[in-house]
Amino acid sequence: MKRLETDECGFASALNAISGKWKMGILWEVTLRPRRFGELRRLLPGVSEKVLAQQLREMEADDLIRREVFPGAVQKVEYSATDFGRSLNEAVDALSRWGKAFEKRQERKAMVA
């Protein structure tokens, strides 16, 4: 995904971190508990393996999630949220609350019109 150029206020950087159709769903799931790749595919219906792998790599590079490889005959990999990733969830929660208030406001305006 094309990344926005950084700006003075940091907003472009924040948007870069959450841009991507599946990133917030991924972050939510790995915040609840560590998840394996196949588990994330099942929890996020419609995501392709390619896109999921790409967004996991981007989120790992941005230090939002941690990828842990467990040794063994069958390679086991788990993804979990970092403290930094959990802090993004808090910020997105505030944006979500604002969005819900905006929806209600728009509904009231539509009823009056």
Side-chain angles (χ1 to χ4, degrees):
M1 170 156 267
K2 184 178 176 187
R3 295 178 72 85
L4 301 172
E5 289 186 37
T6 57
D7 56 14
E8 291 294 318
C9 68
F11 191 70
S13 296
L15 287 178
N16 284 332
I18 63 173
S19 66
K21 180 177 180 178
W22 304 101
K23 285 185 180 179
M24 293 316 307
I26 293 167
L27 186 60
W28 173 258
E29 291 298 339
V30 300
T31 298
L32 295 174
R33 68 182 183 85
R35 305 283 189 178
R36 295 180 71 176
F37 185 88
E39 191 176 9
L40 286 169
R41 280 228 39 221
R42 285 189 297 279
L43 290 166
L44 302 166
V47 67
S48 70
E49 281 189 37
K50 177 185 174 187
V51 170
L52 180 58
Q54 176 186 3
Q55 293 199 351
L56 286 167
R57 280 192 303 273
E58 289 173 7
M59 294 173 75
E60 186 180 9
D62 289 340
D63 195 33
L64 300 176
I65 63 171
R66 174 183 311 103
R67 180 180 186 267
E68 188 173 358
V69 179
F70 296 91
V74 177
Q75 188 180 38
K76 178 181 173 183
V77 178
E78 283 187 347
Y79 298 92
S80 58
T82 62
D83 289 340
F84 193 57
R86 281 189 281 282
S87 73
L88 177 57
N89 262 345
E90 295 167 12
V92 171
D93 182 53
L95 186 59
S96 177
R97 285 192 313 272
W98 185 91
K100 290 296 182 185
F102 181 72
E103 287 172 1
K104 288 179 184 175
R105 184 182 181 104
Q106 295 301 95
E107 288 171 8
R108 284 193 301 269
K109 283 175 66 175
M111 286 184 208
V112 173

